Amino acid sequence: TPHRRDIGEEGHGEALMPAALVGGAPLPPGISPPPGAGAPLPSRTPAGAGAVWVEPPRKLCNKVLRAVQQHGMLRPGDRVLLGLSGGKDSLTLLHALRQLQSRTPFAWELGACTVDPMADGFDPSPLIPYLAELGVPYYYERDDILGSAAAVASAPGGGRVSICAFCSRMKRGVLYRVARTHGYNVLALAHHLDDCAESFLMSALHNGALRTMKAHYKVDEGDLRVVRPMVYVREAEAERFADEQLLPVVPENCPACFEAPKERYRIKCLLATQEALFPSLFQALTKTLLPLMEPGIEALLTHRREAYGRVGGSTGHVPPPLLLPTDDVAAQAAQATHSLTDTRALWAASLALSRQRLPGASPRSAADATASDQALLDAGWFGGRIDASGT
């Protein structure tokens, strides 16, 4: 059995490199997955065979590339840490990011981190040897998150706490800590288009807000960027790739998730019903979600909503007009990509957009940063492996 480090153990958080691959864990007794949840999967690696990199379908890779470029997710020298749960989505993103490195005209690094919440019957430790064989810097963190969640839920007033939301926040905190400890400045998460659509409907229906998961944003402390490269990828695409390539998927069997249908699951069923009637549903939803994925848009929409006053108030007023700022550098770079198939121009615009939306701590002006990026692209454009058309 691979060695699993506990919180507080000497050497905690270092990259682990064991050798043997083991299978996934079964569901605990008395726990039944919701309809559509997969049964426990056996070891996905044939006996005697080592883990190998697999290139995802070109359509899936192109969607990841488009999201990265349109939302300015990558910059030269970035160190990207992937949050790897062991599910089909994060494993698909692992292989997609590896393939993306060969399509990016500048160098960036990739590592991965798994947070084991120590839930009964959930054992992601088979990922340790899998990542070791792939040669990816890997950090395996054990934290009794489920125990902490149970303690919070049993405290006075804890009945209103969502176990799933609490667990998600705690896992994110661990990922932030690992990224900071080991010098990563970007955290990659494997949320896909279906996740974004579900979050949008839940927010609109229950919170009265136009909101969804952001494609690229900074954490409050300003030292880490969070990216979601699969926001254009459908859940079924990731599942199909993971199944066809026999990736070592770790079955999700958290009792808190399966004890009763959750609202996200009901929204998923609603979307599936509507998509059966209207096959182009997610194409329309993508257009709806695109502006909501941008950083800063949520604050703008909240400000505009508040400008109209309280819903159902006895008096009304006219909200002030909306004034949008402009950025000449990023706008000019983006305009250069319209009606063109020029990969160099796309990357130049992507870098300009990234620095305009989420500026770093450097005192350089936007014009200086753009000039530096352009010089880097000119000097090291794939070493001649790709031309301006991207072929």
Side-chain angles (χ1 to χ4, degrees):
T1 302
H3 177 59
R4 301 169 69 182
R5 296 189 183 273
D6 293 305
I7 295 297
E9 185 178 352
E10 184 178 357
H12 168 66
E14 67 185 64
L16 305 177
M17 303 290 284
L21 185 63
V22 298
L27 290 168
I31 301 298
S32 299
L41 298 173
S43 173
R44 294 277 187 135
T45 302
V52 296
W53 288 107
V54 184
E55 183 172 336
R58 187 169 185 82
K59 181 178 179 181
L60 190 155
C61 290
N62 285 342
K63 289 182 178 181
V64 171
L65 175 63
R66 180 159 59 94
V68 167
Q69 289 181 328
Q70 290 190 336
H71 296 280
M73 295 183 186
L74 288 176
R75 302 175 186 175
D78 276 343
R79 302 193 71 226
V80 180
L81 183 70
L82 168 64
L84 187 68
S85 68
K88 59 186 182 302
D89 305 325
S90 60
L91 282 167
T92 295
L93 181 56
L94 172 67
H95 288 268
L97 288 176
R98 170 71 172 188
Q99 195 276 342
L100 180 62
Q101 284 185 306
S102 67
R103 304 179 70 183
T104 311
F106 46 80
W108 54 277
E109 300 178 34
L110 176 62
C113 176
T114 296
V115 180
D116 181 355
M118 300 175 64
D120 291 339
F122 177 67
D123 181 15
S125 63
L127 294 172
I128 297 174
Y130 181 74
L131 271 292
E133 292 181 11
L134 292 178
V136 176
Y138 184 53
Y139 311 94
Y140 189 93
E141 302 284 323
R142 296 190 78 217
D143 196 328
D144 189 13
I145 293 176
L146 205 62
S148 300
V152 170
S154 61
R160 296 188 298 272
V161 176
S162 166
I163 300 297
C164 292
F166 179 87
C167 184
S168 177
R169 288 195 299 271
M170 293 291 288
K171 285 182 179 179
R172 190 73 62 86
V174 174
L175 291 173
Y176 289 169
R177 173 175 57 77
V178 172
R180 290 173 175 131
T181 300
H182 297 281
Y184 291 89
N185 66 316
V186 180
L187 176 64
L189 303 176
H191 297 111
H192 43 65
L193 179 58
D194 296 61
D195 291 325
C196 294
E198 293 158 14
S199 294
F200 167 70
L201 283 181
M202 291 173 65
S203 180
L205 296 177
H206 300 295
N207 298 323
L210 292 174
R211 183 187 304 131
T212 190
M213 297 176 176
K214 299 292 177 285
H216 182 194
Y217 67 95
K218 270 187 178 180
V219 300
D220 291 340
E221 293 78 3
D223 59 337
L224 295 174
R225 303 191 338 260
V226 179
V227 299
R228 294 185 169 101
M230 293 213 304
V231 289
Y232 297 158
V233 177
R234 293 298 307 275
E235 180 179 16
E237 293 179 281
E239 184 173 13
R240 187 181 310 114
F241 169 70
D243 188 58
E244 290 176 351
Q245 300 301 328
L246 301 179
L247 299 184
V249 175
V250 179
E252 178 61 70
N253 47 27
C254 175
C257 295
F258 288 166
E259 64 183 2
K262 296 293 188 288
E263 184 58 25
R264 181 171 290 275
Y265 176 67
R266 286 188 280 266
I267 293 294
K268 182 185 289 289
C269 293
L270 171 64
L271 286 169
T273 302
Q274 291 300 304
E275 188 175 19
L277 297 172
F278 308 102
S280 61
L281 174 70
F282 273 83
Q283 296 178 26
L285 279 174
T286 300
K287 296 177 182 178
T288 302
L289 296 173
L290 281 174
L292 302 180
M293 293 180 181
E294 298 181 9
I297 196 69
E298 185 176 328
L300 173 63
L301 291 174
T302 299
H303 174 74
R304 294 304 297 168
R305 185 174 69 242
E306 293 174 349
Y308 283 84
R310 186 169 61 88
V311 175
S314 58
T315 60
H317 63 272
V318 178
L322 175 63
L323 300 177
L324 294 177
T326 60
D327 184 279
D328 292 339
V329 174
Q332 290 172 9
Q335 185 63 36
T337 67
H338 292 189
S339 303
L340 293 176
T341 307
D342 188 334
T343 307
R344 191 182 313 222
L346 284 173
W347 279 114
S350 177
L351 290 170
L353 176 71
S354 179
R355 298 189 188 282
Q356 182 268 329
R357 285 182 176 173
L358 301 172
S362 171
R364 294 188 304 169
S365 68
D368 291 340
T370 300
S372 176
D373 290 334
Q374 187 62 54
L376 184 148
L377 292 177
D378 291 339
W381 184 248
F382 286 102
R385 296 195 305 271
I386 190 170
D387 61 22
S389 67
T391 59

